[in-house]
Amino acid sequence: MTDEDFTIKLTRDQALVLSDWLDRMIGTSAFDGLVNQERAVWSPLYKIAGALESSLAEIFMPGYTDRLDTARERLLDSLGEIGRPAP
């Protein structure tokens, strides 16, 4: 098996929300404990987090929170009922 690159395409909204989530989750005991159950997963997680951080100028711009909230709302709207708690 060769070590070929693999490409995943995300919308800007998806990338922004995922970057924020990874930034908040990595380093928490619950998240780290889960990932440590399969330590090899750290490699792609760090690669994804680093790629997002270096590609998203928005995370360093004024109004980041507003942009993030707007992106989050658009993604939630597109999900419909997926992941929504049952009434």
Side-chain angles (χ1 to χ4, degrees):
M1 178 152 215
T2 62
D3 203 14
E4 297 176 24
D5 288 341
F6 187 82
T7 302
I8 297 173
K9 291 189 178 199
L10 301 173
T11 65
R12 200 102 187 143
D13 286 349
Q14 290 169 331
L16 193 59
V17 170
L18 179 59
S19 175
D20 179 73
W21 184 81
L22 286 170
D23 185 60
R24 288 182 292 112
M25 293 297 107
I26 293 175
T28 64
S29 58
F31 185 83
D32 291 359
L34 180 63
V35 177
N36 285 340
Q37 292 177 24
E38 181 59 56
R39 283 188 55 242
V41 174
W42 281 117
S43 178
L45 280 174
Y46 282 138
K47 185 80 166 185
I48 291 167
L52 290 170
E53 186 174 316
S54 65
S55 300
L56 292 167
E58 294 93 330
I59 64 178
F60 303 106
M61 295 170 65
Y64 167 72
T65 303
D66 292 336
R67 279 187 193 71
L68 177 63
D69 290 342
T70 301
R72 192 177 278 129
E73 287 302 318
R74 282 191 293 258
L75 292 177
L76 287 172
D77 288 345
S78 72
L79 284 174
E81 296 301 314
I82 297 172
R84 188 169 293 195

